[in-house]
Amino acid sequence: MSSYRVAQVTAPNGTFELVEREVPQPGPGQVRIAVEACGICHSDALFVSAALPGVTFPEVPGHEIAGRIEELGEGVRERGWQAGDRVAVGWFGGSCGHCTPCREGDFIVCQNLKVPGWAYDGGFGEKVIAPADALARVPDAVAAGDAGPMACAGVTTYNGLRRSSARPGDLVAVLGLGGLGHLGVQYAVAMGFETVGIARGAEKADFAKRLGAHHYIDSTSGTPVAEALQSLGGAKAVLATAGNSDAITATVDGLAPRGELVVIGADTAPLGINPAQLLMAGRVVRGHPSGTSQDVEDTMSFSALHGIRPMTETVPLDDADAAYQKMLAGKARFRMVLTTG
């Protein structure tokens, strides 16, 4: 019997254990991927803790997958894929194709979205079965350890910025300089925005500047963040990567007229925004989901062109539990990545 290893939890918030499973065969419209790297995202905690409906155990998370196609299911070759192709699979792990958003071509908000680790086993393992529509081609210039995080953290920040109302030369702020924000600043600079990094502590100013930010705002300095943004002319867009509703709320009055707050950092606490803050200046607040497989390809191509890469710490699959706990404790700098090599 041919087997492969996965890192799984058998109960909510359980410890990861490595187990062997029989190698599965891809069904029609699916491929089997030999995983080379898989990033650990904070959203994985939603599955490990069973915080979302429909999570079943044993649970194998992981939606920042990069590897090579190992075997094709029926009908996949006709879509232009072949064994050996380098691919990535992110939060967008496939769509149903028949709900209203899918019929309108808006696949990332599919009502039956197939997120790896939720709809099927994720990338915390040596192999994974994924639908062909989830596959993004990885450029030769992008290593697997970088491609994995770009399929979630990368595409979310890149897409959030390019789909905003900001244009080159506009003032754009990135709230948070962590796993999402450190990429957001790099993308904002490369897109031609006058870029502001916002984080806690004066010591992060140098890091923001190394990422390319033109300005830095220390949210603990005593000067309100909104006031600091207005002193720079007001932000056309704020990309809120920090998962803290109070910090996100503090940026709203720093938006320029018709400025846009793009929320990608998750928090369950409500935002403290009142209608008057939005009405007179015509401001917009919107949530932004990740991106389709084509968006992931666009992200990686843009990153390759501009030399943008995530800052990662790679660890072997054997150390999945320790790596997950480090991410959960907020000690990752800045994306933990599991490798199988």
Side-chain angles (χ1 to χ4, degrees), residues 16-341:
F16 280 93
E17 59 181 11
L18 264 70
V19 298
E20 289 197 0
R21 296 185 179 180
E22 185 175 354
V23 174
Q25 296 301 308
Q30 297 179 330
V31 301
R32 186 173 71 232
I33 300 170
V35 178
E36 296 174 352
C38 184
I40 302 177
C41 178
H42 201 278
S43 297
D44 288 322
L46 298 174
F47 311 129
V48 174
S49 65
L52 294 174
V55 174
T56 59
F57 292 86
E59 158 68 18
V60 181
H63 57 268
E64 295 187 346
I65 305 164
R68 293 181 183 272
I69 295 177
E70 193 172 64
E71 188 163 346
L72 307 173
E74 181 183 346
V76 175
R77 190 176 304 278
E78 291 80 357
R79 303 187 192 186
W81 297 103
Q82 58 185 358
D85 284 348
R86 301 183 68 226
V87 294
V89 179
W91 179 265
F92 179 83
S95 56
C96 72
H98 60 75
C99 69
T100 298
C102 281
R103 293 180 68 189
E104 293 174 342
D106 198 359
F107 301 107
I108 190 58
V109 289
C110 169
Q111 294 171 338
N112 305 291
L113 189 67
K114 301 172 186 176
V115 181
W118 192 4
Y120 52 88
D121 284 345
F124 283 26
E126 295 172 333
K127 303 182 189 298
V128 67
I129 299 287
D133 65 324
L135 303 177
R137 292 190 185 275
V138 178
D140 291 340
V142 179
D146 294 329
M150 284 184 187
C152 179
V155 69
T156 303
T157 50
Y158 173 77
N159 240 13
L161 288 167
R162 73 165 173 170
R163 299 189 187 284
S164 76
S165 57
R167 296 295 177 264
D170 286 341
L171 188 78
V172 169
V174 178
L175 173 65
L177 296 178
L180 291 167
H182 87 284
L183 284 166
V185 168
Q186 293 179 77
Y187 287 132
V189 172
M191 290 177 185
F193 302 136
E194 183 180 353
T195 304
V196 185
I198 306 172
R200 295 176 57 85
E203 70 280 0
K204 294 180 182 177
D206 286 343
F207 178 58
K209 295 298 176 64
R210 289 202 303 273
L211 293 172
H214 304 96
H215 312 279
Y216 176 72
I217 294 174
D218 172 12
S219 62
T220 66
S221 69
T223 301
V225 169
E227 183 178 319
L229 284 173
Q230 290 297 345
S231 72
L232 295 170
K236 183 65 175 179
V238 171
L239 183 71
T241 74
N244 184 299
S245 291
D246 289 340
I248 295 170
T249 298
T251 68
V252 174
D253 286 334
L255 291 169
R258 300 203 179 277
E260 184 178 21
L261 173 61
V262 182
V263 181
I264 62 174
D267 190 2
T268 56
L271 295 174
I273 301 171
N274 66 67
Q277 290 176 278
L278 307 178
L279 290 172
M280 298 301 291
R283 292 168 175 149
V284 174
V285 179
R286 68 176 177 90
H288 175 75
S290 179
T292 65
S293 52
Q294 182 60 56
D295 293 325
V296 174
E297 285 194 18
D298 293 346
T299 300
M300 290 190 290
S301 295
F302 186 87
S303 300
L305 182 65
H306 292 277
I308 296 171
R309 298 292 187 274
M311 296 181 182
T312 63
E313 181 179 344
T314 59
V315 295
L317 181 64
D318 305 65
D319 297 332
D321 191 72
Y324 176 79
Q325 295 301 331
K326 186 171 183 177
M327 177 282 299
L328 208 59
K331 296 179 179 179
R333 292 293 181 268
F334 286 89
R335 306 295 290 187
M336 302 299 297
V337 178
L338 300 175
T339 58
T340 60

